[in-house]
Amino acid sequence: MPPSNRRNTSSGSGSGSSASGRLAALAQQDSIDFEIEFYERLLQALPDFVEVLQVQAENYRKRNRQQDGLVIDLRLAHLRPHDPRVHYNLACRYALLRQTDQALRTLRRALELGYRDFQYLDQDRDWDHLRRDPRFRQLIREFRSQE
């Protein structure tokens, strides 16, 4: 998906309140950029709002803001240390950042915690560059055999 146009931050004629100027600027954004800005503000007030963190992590992925997403995924892993899906998503983020060793360690943790959606994992494009890595194949084989 191509990056969206930057929003216009000018208030136009200079009349009107700054709130209405911000509203007009937000209205010109596409929905992902709107959500990112909205959730960034919400998370300033409620930094541990897990559901919002999850949506924001996905928004950052869609915009290829992987470093920002990593910060969110790490926060989620801290807040939900036993959630296999949270660790799977963190592993994917490391894979997208080409941090192979960390991606494999974190994927192992997700599998140890019970992540078992191998059908999804087999099709998840985040792992494309690792599929030929023998460590990745061995890890998947190891946990598939436990089913």
Side-chain angles (χ1 to χ4, degrees):
M1 178 181 310
S4 67
N5 294 332
R6 294 278 93 191
R7 65 186 171 96
N8 181 352
T9 57
S10 70
S11 61
S13 65
S15 62
S17 72
S18 65
S20 65
R22 283 194 307 266
L23 242 147
L26 288 174
Q28 293 176 2
Q29 294 178 309
D30 74 9
S31 63
I32 301 289
D33 291 332
F34 174 84
E35 283 185 17
I36 287 173
E37 186 169 333
F38 177 80
Y39 290 140
E40 283 175 347
R41 291 179 185 185
L42 182 58
L43 289 169
Q44 287 174 359
L46 302 166
D48 295 339
F49 195 155
V50 170
E51 291 79 6
V52 172
L53 289 165
Q54 291 170 329
V55 172
Q56 190 71 324
E58 178 62 13
N59 286 338
Y60 285 148
R61 186 196 62 75
K62 288 177 182 175
R63 283 291 179 255
N64 199 31
R65 292 177 56 181
Q66 303 307 339
Q67 284 299 139
D68 291 327
L70 178 60
V71 171
I72 299 289
D73 287 333
L74 288 166
R75 185 183 300 164
L76 282 164
H78 174 75
L79 293 170
R80 298 261 173 106
H82 304 292
D83 186 329
R85 178 178 276 163
V86 166
H87 287 273
Y88 178 81
N89 289 335
L90 177 57
C92 288
R93 186 77 62 183
Y94 283 126
L96 289 169
L97 289 165
R98 306 286 191 203
Q99 296 179 20
T100 301
D101 292 339
Q102 192 64 41
L104 292 172
R105 278 193 297 273
T106 308
L107 178 58
R108 173 175 288 285
R109 180 69 180 135
L111 293 165
E112 290 169 349
L113 288 170
Y115 186 87
R116 291 295 184 276
D117 193 349
F118 292 109
Q119 184 177 2
Y120 182 80
L121 195 150
D122 289 341
Q123 298 174 19
D124 191 342
R125 304 287 317 247
D126 295 349
W127 299 104
D128 283 354
H129 75 282
L130 283 170
R131 292 196 194 285
R132 293 186 180 182
D133 187 313
R135 297 170 299 166
F136 176 80
R137 292 195 313 254
Q138 174 57 36
L139 182 60
I140 301 308
R141 265 193 311 271
E142 175 185 339
F143 282 89
R144 267 201 171 119
S145 70
Q146 295 177 14
E147 284 192 19

